[in-house]
């Protein structure tokens, strides 16, 4: 999910969008603040930060069965999270040896300072680490009694995103690459698609997402994610192909606004909705298709020292 510090803009700050998200959130299953989740090796601690973009809140996971365990993610920094976590550690005589961070977003790293105040000897690991943190390497393993975690680098949702395979259970901690409900967003769509396909090839059956409930059939959900994005790619190509007519001796093209109207109707002409939601989405798809050699574009002079980009399918 996006960082919670990001203030909604345009359409995403509208009353319509807020009402839609509130209705969606009301349908989510209730999750316990602290509970075993899917395996005796995993205890889930909710971050105490439910919201439209965070679903029931950020999931953080204590992994292992012994007195020294590994923590995945640290929530947003809400007092309830650190209180629940430290109470559990004290009640069960447990310590944390390592923290593994799925990515840099504040709703996954915000509780780190409070955790290190509780125990400054904990080692913190992240792909593209910050000062004082240790790097994650693809294929690197971390072991605690009863659990072995293997690092899988999965950039796309963010440049530093990583997932972790729980080898004993053939399960995957998916971070924000795959959620327990709905779909995630991508900073780099091309890289994200590669990461989704990599995750699918791992063959893990269970998913522990960064937000939402346990994913009990991860291959099916990954197939849905990949199919949904592949379908959008085909839709954009089809919209462009409809406009492949000779114009002034060359192929005509569509602007991103034209593509939006072709796919979503006249509602896409609403500037707030288009600029906040549809333009970033379509831009991602178009530039990814261009990277793959499927579409091309050119800048067209529209007068008054302004240009617009027209897109077309490459033959």
């Amino acid at each position: 999910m996006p960082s919670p510090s990001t203030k909604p803009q345009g359409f995403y700050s509208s009353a319509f969008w807020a009402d839609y998200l509130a209705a969606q959130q009301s349908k989510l299953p209730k999750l316990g603040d602290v509970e075993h989740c899917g395996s005796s090796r995993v205890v889930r601690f909710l971050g105490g930060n439910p919201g439209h973009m965070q679903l029931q809140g950020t999931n953080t996971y204590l992994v292992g069965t012994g007195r020294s365990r590994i923590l995945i993610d640290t929530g947003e920094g809400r007092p309830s999270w650190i209180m629940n976590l430290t109470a559990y550690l004290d009640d069960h005589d447990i310590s944390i040896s390592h923290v593994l961070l799925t990515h840099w977003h504040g709703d996954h790293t915000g509780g780190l300072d409070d955790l290190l105040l509780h125990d400054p000897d904990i080692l913190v690991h992240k792909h593209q680490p910050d000062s004082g943190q240790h790097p994650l390497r693809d294929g690197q393993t971390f072991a605690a009694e009863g659990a072995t975690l293997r690092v899988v680098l999965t950039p796309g949702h963010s440049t530093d995103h990583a997932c972790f395979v729980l080898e004993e259970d053939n399960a995957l901690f998916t971070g924000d690459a795959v959620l327990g409900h709905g779909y995630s967003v991508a900073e780099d769509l091309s890289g994200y698609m590669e990461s989704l396909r990599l995750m699918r090839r791992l063959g893990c059956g269970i998913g522990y997402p960064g937000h939402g409930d346990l994913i009990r059939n991860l291959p099916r959900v990954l197939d849905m994610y990949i199919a949904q994005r592949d379908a959008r790619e085909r839709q954009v190509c089809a919209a462009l192909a409809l406009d492949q007519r000779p114009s002034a001796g060359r192929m005509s093209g569509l602007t991103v606004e034209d593509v939006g109207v072709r796919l979503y109707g006249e509602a896409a002409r609403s500037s707030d909705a288009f600029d906040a939601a549809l333009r970033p989405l379509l831009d991602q798809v178009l530039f990814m298709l261009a990277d793959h050699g499927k579409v091309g574009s050119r800048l067209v002079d529209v007068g008054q020292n302004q240009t617009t980009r027209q897109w077309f399918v490459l033959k």
Side-chain angles (χ1 to χ4, degrees):
M1 305 297 284
S3 169
S5 62
T6 302
K7 184 177 180 180
Q9 300 290 330
F11 176 71
Y12 287 131
S13 64
S14 68
F16 171 83
W17 183 245
D19 289 345
Y20 169 78
L21 289 176
Q24 294 301 108
Q25 191 170 11
S26 69
K27 302 175 184 177
L28 296 176
K30 182 175 176 57
L31 303 180
D33 290 336
V34 181
E35 60 184 357
H36 278 279
C37 178
S39 169
S40 60
R41 309 173 203 276
V42 181
V43 182
R44 179 179 58 207
F45 296 80
L46 275 182
N49 58 327
H52 295 330
M53 304 300 286
Q54 289 79 36
L55 305 180
Q56 297 96 328
T58 303
N59 293 326
T60 71
Y61 298 98
L62 191 65
V63 184
T65 58
R67 294 181 60 184
S68 178
R69 303 189 189 182
I70 297 169
L71 182 70
I72 297 176
D73 283 341
T74 65
E76 188 176 302
R78 298 293 180 90
S80 61
W81 175 80
I82 191 64
M83 290 173 63
N84 287 334
L85 177 64
T86 55
Y88 188 93
L89 296 176
D90 291 342
D91 289 346
H92 295 81
D93 193 22
I94 292 170
S95 64
I96 295 172
S97 59
H98 300 81
V99 169
L100 309 183
L101 298 173
T102 58
H103 62 299
W104 71 268
H105 287 165
D107 58 330
H108 294 259
T109 60
L112 189 57
D113 287 345
D114 288 335
L115 181 63
L116 293 178
L117 283 175
H118 173 76
D119 184 352
D121 294 328
I122 296 173
L123 299 177
V124 181
H125 301 259
K126 183 169 74 67
H127 184 40
Q128 300 177 4
D130 297 334
S131 177
Q133 298 177 355
H134 301 272
L136 291 172
R137 301 185 306 276
D138 201 44
Q140 182 178 8
T141 59
F142 295 85
E145 184 178 329
T148 307
L149 292 167
R150 175 164 50 87
V151 178
V152 181
L153 299 184
T154 52
H157 173 75
S158 64
T159 60
D160 65 340
H161 197 279
C163 296
F164 307 102
V165 176
L166 178 56
E167 294 188 344
E168 287 80 1
D169 291 344
N170 192 35
L172 185 67
F173 293 89
T174 65
D176 280 2
V178 177
L179 306 179
H181 318 281
Y183 292 94
S184 186
V185 297
E187 181 179 294
D188 170 12
L189 184 57
S190 183
Y192 180 62
M193 292 300 297
E194 291 179 11
S195 291
L196 287 178
R197 291 188 169 95
L198 169 61
M199 293 165 68
R200 182 64 176 88
R201 290 195 298 271
L202 294 174
C204 295
I206 298 294
Y208 292 96
H211 302 270
D213 204 357
L214 180 73
I215 303 170
R216 299 187 183 277
N217 189 337
L218 182 59
R220 180 178 66 83
V221 173
L222 282 165
D223 286 342
M224 289 171 53
Y225 266 58
I226 293 168
Q228 189 252 11
R229 284 155 177 79
D230 283 346
R232 184 176 292 149
E233 178 180 327
R234 291 192 298 271
Q235 289 170 348
V236 170
C237 284
L240 293 174
L242 289 173
D243 204 60
Q244 296 298 275
R245 304 182 304 272
S247 176
R250 61 182 180 179
M251 302 304 288
S252 60
L254 296 177
T255 66
V256 66
E257 291 86 355
D258 294 333
V259 174
V261 171
R262 286 275 175 90
L263 295 182
Y264 304 106
E266 291 300 314
R269 295 194 188 278
S270 166
S271 59
D272 282 351
F274 186 82
D275 290 340
L278 294 181
R279 183 187 296 277
L281 170 67
L282 293 175
D283 276 342
Q284 277 192 328
V285 174
L286 287 164
F287 280 103
M288 181 185 73
L289 290 170
D291 287 342
H292 294 171
K294 295 182 179 180
V295 305
S297 69
R298 59 175 172 268
L299 290 176
V300 177
D301 185 0
V302 293
Q304 298 182 340
N305 295 320
Q306 294 185 355
T307 60
T308 188
R309 184 175 296 276
Q310 290 185 345
W311 296 88
F312 48 87
V313 174
L314 293 175
K315 295 297 185 181

